[in-house]
């Protein structure tokens, strides 16, 4: 409903990292969504701005795992068609839509298990601007003898042939679209807890992707802030790769200082 009735030309796009990290940013609407790939962002963004005049501001997440194999987007998720591109603008029976119908068994299970009430899986709540406040507090890893196997096998690691992917094409399409619509853009990579690079994945695994993001910024003239290794207190994280409500307050202020003020 926020998307379909949205009038603001100042918007935020990305995955769950920006969904939880940028909250209640003045005059901005947050359309980030968990595991959103660049192809889905492209479709949603073009649809949203199609009937709006040129201009506006966009914050776009350039995710560390944006080119991981599980984010290939070979097939667009039903939720994009069902919830964003469909013409209905009023609340309706969502269980009739493919995206929810496929999950009906999980809803029924949840309903029965929680004494006939609906209980979210995560300790979070949606905000009026479309962002998600995450209330968990991350407990840092204390073991120092963790297996290093994940350094080579973790699902976040980008595919080596990412330039051949549909996501590569989609991200370039997004950048060109923003330029053609005279929309000012701020490109960011959100913080992850330093445990991720220390114990789970070597930061070197993302060097090629981060260099690619820097080149996009240089070629487009859009500012880019790589804050993946920006140090924040432990209690600012909900888990190893997402900020919680406290972290979002701090990070949103940082984004406000960095973006569009240069």
């Amino acid at each position: 409903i926020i998307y379909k009735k949205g009038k603001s030309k100042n918007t935020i796009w990305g995955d769950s990292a920006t969904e939880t990290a940028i909250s209640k940013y003045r005059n901005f609407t947050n359309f980030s969504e968990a595991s959103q790939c660049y192809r889905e962002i492209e479709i949603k963004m073009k649809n949203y701005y199609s009937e709006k005049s040129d201009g506006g501001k966009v914050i776009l997440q350039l995710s560390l795992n944006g080119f991981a194999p599980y984010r290939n987007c070979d097939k667009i998720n039903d939720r994009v068609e069902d919830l964003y591109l469909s013409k209905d603008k009023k609340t309706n029976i969502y269980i009739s839509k493919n995206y929810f119908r496929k999950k009906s068994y999980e809803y029924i299970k949840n309903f029965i298990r929680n004494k006939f009430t609906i209980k979210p899986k995560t300790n979070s709540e949606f905000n009026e601007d479309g962002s998600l406040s995450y209330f968990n507090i991350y407990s840092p890893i204390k073991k120092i003898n963790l297996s290093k196997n994940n350094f080579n096998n973790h699902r976040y690691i980008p595919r080596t042939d990412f330039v051949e992917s549909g996501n590569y094409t989609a991200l370039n399409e997004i950048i060109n679209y923003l330029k053609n619509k005279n929309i000012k853009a701020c490109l960011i990579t959100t913080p992850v807890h330093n445990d991720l690079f220390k114990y789970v994945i070597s930061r070197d695994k993302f060097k090629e992707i981060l260099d690619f993001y820097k080149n996009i910024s240089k070629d487009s003239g859009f500012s880019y802030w790589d804050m993946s290794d920006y140090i924040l207190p432990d209690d600012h994280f909900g888990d190893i790769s997402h900020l919680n409500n406290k972290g979002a307050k701090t990070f949103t202020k940082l984004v406000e200082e960095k973006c569009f003020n240069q």
Side-chain angles (χ1 to χ4, degrees), residues 16-82:
S16 57
T18 36
E19 184 181 35
T20 54
I22 306 177
S23 179
K24 303 171 186 176
Y25 183 13
R26 187 176 66 252
N27 299 324
F28 274 77
T29 306
N30 194 334
F31 292 129
S32 303
E33 189 176 356
S35 296
Q36 197 94 91
C37 67
Y38 293 124
R39 178 65 179 131
E40 291 173 335
I41 292 172
E42 178 197 355
I43 291 170
K44 287 172 59 179
M45 182 186 289
K46 287 181 176 179
N47 183 63
Y48 180 79
Y49 280 103
S50 62
E51 297 182 2
K52 292 178 174 59
S53 59
D54 289 0
K57 298 176 181 178
V58 157
I59 295 172
L60 176 66
Q61 159 82 332
L62 301 184
S63 177
L64 288 173
N65 56 331
F67 291 99
Y70 80 97
R71 298 279 282 271
N72 278 346
C73 264
D74 294 329
K75 182 181 183 300
I76 303 303
N77 196 298
D78 285 334
R79 71 178 181 272
V80 174
E81 183 68 38
D82 286 349

Side-chain angles (χ1 to χ4, degrees), residues 155-252:
R155 69 196 295 261
Y156 275 21
I157 294 174
R159 50 187 285 185
T160 55
D161 62 341
F162 73 92
V163 296
E164 304 296 329
S165 69
N167 268 333
Y168 177 86
T169 303
L171 180 53
N172 282 288
E173 282 290 325
I174 291 170
I175 297 299
N176 289 332
Y177 181 77
L178 293 171
K179 291 172 66 176
N180 291 335
K181 286 283 287 185
N182 294 316
I183 296 173
K184 296 179 181 178
C186 179
L187 314 176
I188 64 170
T189 302
T190 52
V192 297
H193 194 277
N194 59 5
D195 278 357
L196 184 71
F197 296 138
K198 187 176 181 181
Y199 295 123
V200 184
I201 319 171
S202 170
R203 197 171 192 276
D204 290 342
K205 296 292 183 183
F206 302 103
K207 184 181 184 307
E208 189 175 2
I209 294 298
L210 292 172
D211 286 345
F212 167 60
Y213 289 159
K214 290 174 186 174
N215 288 333
I216 280 183
S217 168
K218 183 178 178 180
D219 293 343
S220 66
F222 295 147
S223 63
Y224 172 52
W225 301 96
D226 173 18
M227 290 179 270
S228 56
D229 58 355
Y230 187 83
I231 302 299
L232 289 169
D234 294 340
D235 66 356
H236 279 45
F237 288 87
D239 58 38
I240 202 168
S241 58
H242 296 86
L243 298 180
N244 61 19
N245 188 47
K246 188 172 184 179
K249 291 178 181 177
T250 299
F251 187 69
T252 301

Side-chain angles (χ1 to χ4, degrees), residues 32-177:
S32 303
E33 189 176 356
S35 296
Q36 197 94 91
C37 67
Y38 293 124
R39 178 65 179 131
E40 291 173 335
I41 292 172
E42 178 197 355
I43 291 170
K44 287 172 59 179
M45 182 186 289
K46 287 181 176 179
N47 183 63
Y48 180 79
Y49 280 103
S50 62
E51 297 182 2
K52 292 178 174 59
S53 59
D54 289 0
K57 298 176 181 178
V58 157
I59 295 172
L60 176 66
Q61 159 82 332
L62 301 184
S63 177
L64 288 173
N65 56 331
F67 291 99
Y70 80 97
R71 298 279 282 271
N72 278 346
C73 264
D74 294 329
K75 182 181 183 300
I76 303 303
N77 196 298
D78 285 334
R79 71 178 181 272
V80 174
E81 183 68 38
D82 286 349
L83 302 183
Y84 300 101
L85 305 184
S86 59
K87 299 302 181 183
D88 52 303
K89 292 189 176 183
K90 295 182 179 179
T91 303
N92 54 33
I93 302 175
Y94 287 114
I95 200 66
S96 67
K97 297 187 177 291
N98 287 336
Y99 176 66
F100 294 105
R101 199 165 63 243
K102 291 176 181 178
K103 295 173 176 283
S104 58
Y105 176 67
E106 294 298 323
Y107 295 133
I108 294 169
K109 224 171 37 169
N110 182 309
F111 193 59
I112 294 173
R113 185 187 295 124
N114 293 293
K115 299 179 180 179
F116 303 100
T117 60
I118 295 296
K119 183 178 180 181
K121 286 184 177 181
T122 58
N123 183 21
S124 57
E125 68 179 22
F126 282 98
N127 302 308
E128 290 183 358
D129 67 336
S131 64
L132 183 70
S133 290
Y134 194 15
F135 299 110
N136 286 358
I137 298 176
Y138 175 65
S139 297
I141 296 173
K142 295 182 179 179
K143 295 181 181 179
I144 58 173
N145 61 342
L146 294 178
S147 168
K148 299 298 183 181
N149 289 337
N150 279 344
F151 274 30
N152 296 315
N153 300 323
H154 197 280
R155 69 196 295 261
Y156 275 21
I157 294 174
R159 50 187 285 185
T160 55
D161 62 341
F162 73 92
V163 296
E164 304 296 329
S165 69
N167 268 333
Y168 177 86
T169 303
L171 180 53
N172 282 288
E173 282 290 325
I174 291 170
I175 297 299
N176 289 332
Y177 181 77

